[in-house]
Amino acid sequence: MRLILARVALPFALAGCMAALILPRAFWVMDEAFSYLQVEGLTRSFSLPPALPWPGSGQAGDAAEGLRPLPYHYGFVREGRLYAQYTPLLPLLSWLPSAGGRFFPGLFAVPVLGAALAAAVGVSRLKRNGFGLPAAAGLAILCTPLPFFSQTFWAHTPALALGAASAYASLGRRPWAAAALLVPAVLLREETLVALPLILLADRPRKSAPAFLAAVASILCLERLLTGSWLGTHVAASGTEQLLYGFYGGIAAEKAYVAVSSMFLCLRGCPLSLNLAAGGALWLAWAASRFRGRISTVAFAAGLAGSAFLLVRAAADGLGFFDVFWLKHPLLVFPVLWLVKPSRKLESVMPWLLLAAVLAVMSPMHAQDGAWGTRLIMLPLLLAGLTATPRGRRTIPVIALGALSTAVSIGYLAQKRSDSARLLEMVRGPAPIVCTTWLLPGEFALAQARGTPVFFAATGADLLAATRLTSFPASRIAVLEGSVGSASSLLEAGGLTVSGRGEVDLDPALRVFVLDAAAPGGR
């Protein structure tokens, strides 16, 4: 293991640190932005849960809660202070390396370290399966989404490392070690709870039950300490998919939607039927390639060629942010799965059982997530991928596919962060920022931390009210392309002078316009 840490984890961590220094200073999605505000909150008052910086709330008075910059379930107000729904363990761990949020690349120290440790766990398992060190490193790093998530201010990579280590401790009949590793994993990412029953399988249930109960009690008590809630604030807040995403349907329709969105989508802008056909064809090629003979070889080659085509097609379309909503097929995000063989061993069956469990509890909101793949099912997919075994000359083509997958994912990340950085530069200054869609307030978290008021106006009345709350002569209004005309007309009817400041295309379907709305006599 020391050799793996020295030759794999350390270089990977150094590369991740370099990437964090080079990539534009912005965020992939609002989840990261609001966690960053928790880091800033800890700097102002080191208390749990941390209250977020909320410039402009004093001037907003009673209207502040309705115009808060963390819309809907992303945040809540208690006793006049603003809080995020996220468990603050990641911000706590990131406070020191980021110098209280002042050193932006330091925010990614924990994700980079988590990715390096997850890669070390992966390489160790793949070497155990018969791969040499270079091949195992290529599969564990390039053929998983670890590079992408190492560059996002999310807790996925440390949770993956701890969750995978916990699962292997369970398989090794070490229930107390499994419990000790799983508790922090759950505090970082709640979906790792699916591994909790494995503690009971680590040994005879009567013998492993104390470790299981200790893990449950520890999770509840630590959630209470960190968030003020026994179950944590994140789980309790994740129930508004109808309001945010417009999904309506019974339980059967919801589960079918989750399964299709998580396991089959691979073609942007195509009907669901075509996605089912293409995504299903990849799974059929994967299934046929599990066995021996000419059919297996042809299916393997066709599957890899099809996967490469889908990835190149996505990149050629321009790396639009919403593309990742469609590129969720596990065989594209975890190419290491192409080397997995069927087996009845518990280690091989267990990941797929965990996958079914996660899909069973996921809601449509989780399946519509904007990340590289469906991030809530990463732990079972990683565990499944780490059962891969050498299969003749197939390792090198799979690593090549993984390199392509990694390049495309990092391309999406770099493009989005570059666009977000340009949007931030466009609104630079003390003038308040008013967003007319819930998708945008997180884009301005860095400005909010610097003291710029950020408001979310859900209605026309809110928009007019937000422009009148501060003493500044003008406000920056961030709107989507389809709302520019109506927002301008409403502001002008309210006596404001409106002019265009600029636009940024985060995606062909997410073109953001920034307007200046100046009061009479303002500049």
Side-chain angles (χ1 to χ4, degrees), residues 175-487:
W176 286 102
L181 291 163
L182 190 61
V183 168
V186 171
L187 295 175
L188 289 165
R189 291 298 318 173
E190 291 94 337
E191 66 269 14
T192 54
L193 270 170
V194 295
L196 190 61
L198 293 179
I199 296 174
L200 292 175
L201 299 177
D203 211 327
R204 293 183 298 274
R206 183 175 297 179
K207 187 176 179 180
S208 56
F212 175 84
L213 294 175
V216 172
S218 298
I219 291 167
L220 293 174
C221 292
L222 289 170
E223 285 283 21
R224 175 72 174 179
L225 174 66
L226 290 168
T227 70
S229 170
W230 292 103
L231 297 178
T233 51
H234 196 187
V235 171
S238 297
T240 55
E241 63 265 17
Q242 290 184 353
L243 174 64
L244 294 179
Y245 298 91
F247 185 91
Y248 295 85
I251 186 67
E254 287 186 1
K255 298 311 170 188
Y257 180 89
V258 166
V260 170
S261 297
S262 303
M263 304 297 290
F264 288 89
L265 293 188
C266 56
L267 288 169
R268 177 179 177 164
C270 296
L272 181 61
S273 57
L274 190 55
N275 269 279
L276 279 171
L282 277 184
W283 282 118
L284 286 175
W286 176 83
S289 68
R290 300 309 86 205
F291 303 101
R292 298 183 180 275
R294 182 172 298 177
I295 292 180
S296 171
T297 302
V298 171
F300 176 79
L304 257 63
S307 298
F309 168 77
L310 292 169
L311 291 167
V312 171
R313 176 183 183 270
D317 283 346
L319 301 173
F321 174 68
F322 282 155
D323 280 0
V324 294
F325 282 84
W326 296 88
L327 281 176
K328 293 183 178 297
H329 202 294
L331 293 174
L332 301 178
V333 180
F334 280 87
V336 67
L337 292 171
W338 284 100
L339 294 175
V340 171
K341 292 176 63 177
S343 173
R344 295 182 181 180
K345 293 180 179 180
L346 177 60
E347 181 177 347
S348 297
V349 174
M350 175 264 295
W352 302 103
L353 295 177
L354 294 182
L355 175 62
V358 180
L359 291 174
V361 299
M362 280 174 58
S363 73
M365 178 177 67
H366 301 132
Q368 291 175 328
D369 191 57
W372 184 241
T374 305
R375 57 194 175 96
L376 269 65
I377 60 176
M378 284 202 296
L379 177 60
L381 289 177
L382 178 67
L383 293 173
L386 297 185
T387 64
T389 55
R391 303 200 63 199
R393 299 179 179 178
R394 296 187 179 187
T395 301
I396 292 178
V398 168
I399 293 176
L401 177 65
L404 175 61
S405 178
T406 295
V408 171
S409 71
I410 297 298
Y412 277 118
L413 180 64
Q415 182 65 54
K416 169 58 170 62
R417 284 177 59 171
S418 177
D419 291 339
S420 294
R422 288 195 296 115
L423 185 60
L424 270 169
E425 186 62 29
M426 192 175 295
V427 298
R428 179 176 291 277
I433 302 165
V434 184
C435 304
T436 62
T437 170
W438 64 273
L439 294 170
L440 292 180
E443 295 289 335
F444 306 107
L446 289 168
Q448 182 179 334
R450 291 194 297 262
T452 300
V454 177
F455 302 113
F456 164 55
T459 66
D462 289 341
L463 174 59
L464 285 176
T467 61
R468 297 166 179 164
L469 287 177
T470 68
S471 58
F472 291 101
S475 298
R476 314 279 191 238
I477 314 297
V479 299
L480 297 184
E481 181 179 21
S483 302
V484 172
S486 57

